[in-house]
Amino acid sequence: MKQGILRKKGDWYQIEYKKGQSTKRADLPGTFTDINPEWVDQEVLYETNANGMVIKLEYNGQSSEAVMSVPQKSNIRIHIDNSKNIEVKEKEIKKDHIARNNHKFARAPYNFVPVNDKVFFEGETTPFDKYEAERKSGFIKVSVSNLTPLFLRQISEKEENFGYGGEYGIPGSSFRGMVRTMCEILSYSKMSFYNKGYIYFRGSLITMDKIHAGMRAYDEKEKNYKIYKCKYDVGNSDRWQQDEIRPPKNEHGRITFTTGKLGTKGCNKFEFFDVSTEHSYVITLEDGVYLDYLNDKTAKKNPNIFDKKRRGQYPVFYQLNKDNTIKSIGTAKFHRIPYSKAVVHHLPAAHKEDKIDICEALFGIIKNNNDVNISSKIQFGDLLAEKCKLDKDFLLKILASPKPTTYQHYLEQNDPNKIYDWDSDKNIRGNKLYWHRKTKSSFIEENQNFYNLLIKYRKDFSYDVTWNEPWGKAKDSYKYQNKTELKTKSHTTRIKPIMEGATFKGKIWFQNLSDLELGLLITALEPGFEDKDKENVAHKIGLGKPLGLGSITINVDDVQIFDTSKTGYFSAYEKKSESINKEYLRNTFLTSLAEKLGISVNQIWNNNRLKELKTMMTWNENEVGSDAWLKKTRYMEITRGGKTGKAGNEYEGRPILPRPTQYKSEPEIKFVDKSSTNP
């Protein structure tokens, strides 16, 4: 056994030891048991395994060992290879869940319409250059009113409202995307908008095999990357900048490299040395490890290890597959690695079939490298405001939300004792929609009483009920009123939203649609389930949806059908048209849908799936602006009430998100809340 001094750093233990003239420290795994606090700062004996991990301590005849098994609170995949001498179990371990130990519900400004197991309507393709007598072509006149402030970016000026010629409006492309999502949900079509790649997570001692160090170099001639083996030591620095490389002082020296910061103690510092003169591995531009690294969209990649402009050798860490090829690579020792299953593996089988569904036929699709290329039958014009008034210049709150790595929200969780991750066989939750929230403006010059309330409850409640930064206009200082906190331009967006009550009008053109297809389009615009006092149906569009912006109502003012009896070809200036009853078209679609579901038409909005959509789209004027509802539909926080650690982390224990109908019906006490004060 080796000798070293046991140190404690926060909640972690470390072994401090001498290597040459240098003092090194090695973290102990969090699975050690029965470490006596009296051992801290004492000289102890310790034993390591083949990977250099400390697995046993001895002091004055007493001992403590790391429990080499999978912790029940592990929230990520376990994939351990016996050939790497990691002493866990005799066979490969894979764990796709953790124990559920938090039975409170999660809060969120969003929820999901459950994914459909079957695809009901097969798509029908039609000629693009001529009319078909038995189908309908024409246009729909729509009017839109915003129930809450509305902001959609101008393409050329990202901080300006969309519009041109002094008029503001809703771009047809944004309106099209919203309507397509509605059509997919209503028609039980395949999901088209989801992460097409893998989900990544930060590796650890538990989830990674033996980690190797190397130097990568780009071969300009062969257009690939060479990896040269080397050795490394680890320490930490309190002076160096993050992501900094210092070259060796001589040919036998060490390359020193810093990665992320280690708490308040500076950056992780690694020293790479004894670099091999011959490369051991080659990574091509087609290799999975190369594509995995580039496809990890949420990683900072600063620096990017595959940047061809980085000449010479560059320090990296990597894992190996059983066939001695590189399995994963990164600049950090515990770099980000993908789950073994991609998002598509969590979709029902019907969503992976090659058959064209009704939405793909309506909105167009390109598949299999242009082998399937279907043009859209629908064109959306911009909707311009007939009357609108711009609000003052505000700073939008920071838009930061749980990502798909929050698998307890994005995957079905129907086991009361377990929470499943992306390596499980659970389906994704479905289409993500945002709750309607009528939040307040916290502009202090016009709402002095409300501002006083914000000051009183600054750490908690003010962020629940407002959509903009509470401390003033965008032209004011970025510092808060009390000058104790700072929000920079890199974290905020300056907007001048369109105030509620504006009216927008526009047209949607369609070509060669059946009554069923046109009925689906009408239903997506006007679902028609307003059946309670003071309740209407509303959609969401634009920036700031989770904060309460972008709630709109849509009205189909008219549906005009062209008279195509005298020409079989499209004309840009059709003059003859007649109106058709929109209720007939909607009932045509709903009747066909009811037949597919095996229910009557009047039961559709009580269907297990569509009632969740109805719940998400219902606008109740008395509810959406209430303090109770705004609090219930806020984002959870990791420092709620200004508290750190478990005391303020509302994600601790990974509380799950119930379905919309249950979410609305459960009492407030059932939801996680680590607030310090509540009005």
Side-chain angles (χ1 to χ4, degrees):
M1 299 182 77
K2 305 172 187 177
Q3 287 186 332
I5 298 176
L6 181 66
R7 303 291 192 192
K8 189 171 184 183
K9 186 175 181 181
D11 295 329
W12 289 89
Y13 289 96
Q14 295 179 325
I15 288 292
E16 183 180 284
Y17 62 95
K18 289 285 187 181
K19 188 166 186 177
Q21 299 298 317
S22 302
T23 299
K24 306 291 183 182
R25 286 190 177 188
D27 288 335
L28 271 63
T31 54
F32 259 88
T33 60
D34 302 324
I35 294 182
N36 192 326
E38 295 180 0
W39 299 0
V40 176
D41 299 328
Q42 304 297 322
E43 191 171 89
V44 298
L45 298 176
Y46 67 94
E47 180 182 332
T48 60
N49 65 8
N51 295 316
M53 184 172 68
V54 179
I55 59 173
K56 186 175 182 179
L57 295 176
E58 285 190 5
Y59 178 74
N60 282 349
Q62 296 179 300
S63 65
S64 176
E65 297 185 16
V67 178
M68 301 308 290
S69 61
V70 181
Q72 289 301 302
K73 292 186 179 181
S74 172
N75 59 5
I76 41 186
R77 173 174 61 100
I78 306 299
H79 188 105
I80 299 181
D81 190 337
N82 185 40
S83 64
K84 301 297 188 298
N85 299 314
I86 298 179
E87 300 172 2
V88 178
K89 290 191 177 181
E90 295 182 359
K91 62 181 181 179
E92 183 183 76
I93 295 175
K94 178 167 182 168
K95 187 162 184 167
D96 61 4
H97 66 272
I98 62 171
R100 182 180 175 190
N101 54 21
N102 186 343
H103 289 274
K104 290 278 189 177
F105 291 123
R107 302 173 186 269
Y110 59 82
N111 214 299
F112 299 85
V113 177
V115 66
N116 46 298
D117 293 328
K118 297 179 180 179
V119 174
F120 283 163
F121 300 101
E122 190 170 338
E124 299 176 353
T125 58
T126 57
F128 184 67
D129 58 347
K130 63 180 181 180
Y131 295 120
E132 290 196 343
E134 67 278 10
R135 292 178 173 271
K136 292 180 172 62
S137 299
F139 60 89
I140 304 170
K141 292 182 179 180
V142 296
S143 58
V144 171
S145 297
N146 61 318
L147 300 168
T148 61
L150 178 66
F151 181 80
L152 294 107
R153 279 195 176 101
Q154 175 66 269
I155 296 174
S156 58
E157 298 290 338
K158 65 179 182 180
E159 293 182 339
E160 298 296 332
N161 289 281
F162 174 83
Y164 39 81
E167 295 184 281
Y168 298 102
I170 299 171
S173 57
S174 298
F175 199 62
R176 173 191 175 94
M178 182 201 70
V179 174
R180 173 162 186 161
T181 298
M182 282 296 298
C183 286
E184 287 183 358
I185 296 172
L186 289 166
S187 64
Y188 284 64
S189 292
K190 291 178 283 188
M191 283 187 66
S192 60
F193 301 109
Y194 61 88
N195 186 325
K196 299 299 192 290
Y198 288 85
I199 304 297
Y200 294 76
F201 63 95
R202 178 68 60 186
S204 68
L205 284 170
I206 298 295
T207 60
M208 297 182 75
D209 300 335
K210 184 175 181 180
I211 302 166
H212 305 268
M215 305 295 293
R216 86 101 178 102
Y218 180 65
D219 190 320
E220 184 69 37
K221 183 178 180 180
E222 297 184 12
K223 307 296 182 186
N224 59 26
Y225 298 88
K226 304 290 196 304
I227 306 296
Y228 298 80
K229 290 182 178 180
C230 70
K231 299 178 182 178
Y232 74 97
D233 280 334
V234 62
N236 76 299
S237 167
D238 57 0
R239 300 184 305 275
W240 286 21
Q241 293 295 317
Q242 196 169 337
D243 303 321
E244 182 179 357
I245 298 177
R246 297 211 174 170
K249 295 180 179 179
N250 55 62
E251 61 180 335
H252 301 296
R254 298 180 172 211
I255 295 176
T256 309
F257 174 60
T258 61
T259 58
K261 289 190 175 181
L262 188 63
T264 60
K265 300 297 184 181
C267 303
N268 289 306
K269 183 177 73 174
F270 298 96
E271 294 179 346
F272 292 73
F273 59 96
D274 288 352
V275 181
S276 173
T277 57
E278 299 289 334
H279 71 267
S280 301
Y281 311 101
V282 175
I283 298 177
T284 71
L285 305 186
E286 292 78 32
D287 283 350
V289 65
Y290 173 81
L291 297 175
D292 281 346
Y293 182 86
L294 296 184
N295 288 334
D296 185 4
K297 304 299 184 184
T298 56
K300 293 170 64 175
K301 297 192 183 72
N302 182 26
N304 183 345
I305 62 176
F306 290 120
D307 186 352
K308 298 182 180 64
K309 295 179 181 179
R310 292 186 176 274
R311 305 298 180 184
Q313 295 187 332
Y314 191 82
V316 294
F317 292 98
Y318 59 92
Q319 295 182 102
L320 293 175
N321 290 307
K322 291 181 180 180
D323 61 1
N324 210 37
T325 57
I326 292 183
K327 176 181 181 180
S328 68
I329 193 167
T331 51
K333 182 178 179 181
F334 298 118
H335 48 267
R336 289 168 61 84
I337 55 179
Y339 285 98
S340 63
K341 293 181 180 179
V343 176
V344 69
H345 299 137
H346 297 272
L347 284 171
H351 291 253
K352 306 170 202 175
E353 295 178 354
D354 290 332
K355 293 180 180 179
I356 304 299
D357 64 38
I358 189 172
C359 280
E360 291 171 332
L362 279 175
F363 290 87
I365 188 173
I366 297 175
K367 296 174 67 174
N368 303 329
N369 296 322
N370 279 327
D371 288 345
V372 177
N373 193 334
I374 299 174
S375 298
S376 175
K377 300 179 183 180
I378 312 172
Q379 291 78 43
F380 287 75
D382 297 333
L383 290 84
L384 297 180
E386 289 194 336
K387 60 174 183 176
C388 73
K389 182 180 178 181
L390 296 186
D391 208 333
K392 292 181 173 64
D393 204 5
F394 284 117
L395 286 178
L396 192 66
K397 280 184 190 172
I398 297 172
L399 287 169
S401 63
K403 301 298 187 289
T405 45
T406 312
Y407 48 75
Q408 69 272 21
H409 290 194
Y410 284 80
L411 289 175
E412 287 287 358
Q413 306 289 346
N414 48 18
D415 190 317
N417 301 312
K418 299 175 182 177
I419 301 175
Y420 289 87
D421 65 25
W422 289 101
D423 274 336
S424 70
D425 294 324
K426 297 296 182 181
N427 282 343
I428 61 173
R429 291 287 301 273
N431 296 87
K432 184 178 180 181
L433 299 179
Y434 289 89
W435 292 109
H436 293 298
R437 310 175 78 232
K438 195 168 184 178
T439 48
K440 304 173 179 66
S441 164
S442 59
F443 185 55
I444 63 176
E445 291 179 6
E446 296 182 358
N447 298 285
Q448 188 63 43
N449 292 334
F450 185 56
Y451 170 71
N452 293 334
L453 177 68
L454 298 183
I455 291 293
K456 184 177 181 181
Y457 298 109
R458 184 175 61 84
K459 290 183 179 179
D460 289 336
F461 197 65
S462 66
Y463 246 54
D464 301 344
V465 300
T466 63
W467 59 263
N468 65 308
E469 291 289 349
W471 315 118
K473 297 186 293 185
K475 68 179 183 181
D476 295 335
S477 169
Y478 286 100
K479 290 185 179 181
Y480 279 155
Q481 190 76 8
N482 59 10
K483 299 183 179 180
T484 60
E485 297 186 47
L486 181 68
K487 299 295 181 188
T488 65
K489 287 185 178 180
S490 63
H491 292 106
T492 54
T493 299
R494 183 181 68 83
I495 69 169
K496 188 182 288 186
I498 297 172
M499 297 178 69
E500 61 187 76
T503 301
F504 308 82
K505 289 187 178 292
K507 291 182 180 180
I508 304 170
W509 287 268
F510 55 89
Q511 302 160 356
N512 287 333
L513 299 192
S514 66
D515 287 356
L516 174 68
E517 292 171 325
L518 190 50
L520 168 60
L521 184 56
I522 297 298
T523 309
L525 296 166
E526 276 190 16
F529 52 68
E530 305 95 322
D531 58 358
K532 290 184 180 180
D533 292 339
K534 298 182 180 180
E535 289 192 348
N536 296 298
V537 56
H539 298 71
K540 295 279 278 188
I541 194 171
L543 190 68
K545 290 188 288 292
L547 301 177
L549 275 64
S551 291
I552 62 172
T553 59
I554 302 174
N555 186 67
V556 175
D557 298 326
D558 193 15
V559 183
Q560 288 286 320
I561 306 298
F562 294 144
D563 180 5
T564 60
S565 60
K566 295 182 180 180
T567 175
Y569 296 90
F570 287 141
S571 168
Y573 303 99
E574 296 292 347
K575 294 182 178 179
K576 288 187 176 182
S577 63
E578 62 179 16
S579 182
I580 188 173
N581 189 301
K582 64 181 181 182
E583 296 298 335
Y584 157 75
L585 295 170
R586 181 163 50 210
N587 288 335
T588 298
F589 168 71
L590 293 177
T591 299
S592 182
L593 177 61
E595 290 176 358
K596 298 285 186 181
L597 292 170
I599 59 178
S600 63
V601 173
N602 59 10
Q603 292 177 314
I604 281 182
W605 299 114
N606 292 321
N607 167 266
N608 287 337
R609 181 167 173 269
L610 294 183
K611 70 179 179 181
E612 307 296 349
L613 172 64
K614 178 182 176 180
T615 301
M616 291 296 297
M617 295 186 69
T618 296
W619 173 277
N620 185 314
E621 184 70 29
N622 295 327
E623 177 186 59
V624 295
S626 68
D627 290 346
W629 177 248
L630 296 178
K631 181 180 178 182
K632 191 172 187 178
T633 54
R634 64 173 173 85
Y635 277 124
M636 295 191 299
E637 301 175 32
I638 58 175
T639 55
R640 183 70 173 171
K643 296 174 285 189
T644 59
K646 292 183 178 181
N649 186 0
E650 294 181 312
Y651 290 94
E652 196 272 329
R654 292 187 176 267
I656 67 169
L657 191 67
R659 287 191 174 186
T661 48
Q662 183 183 3
Y663 192 98
K664 288 199 74 171
S665 63
E666 291 288 355
E668 168 68 22
I669 196 172
K670 293 285 192 72
F671 292 83
V672 63
D673 187 3
K674 297 194 176 182
S675 302
S676 59
T677 55
N678 290 299

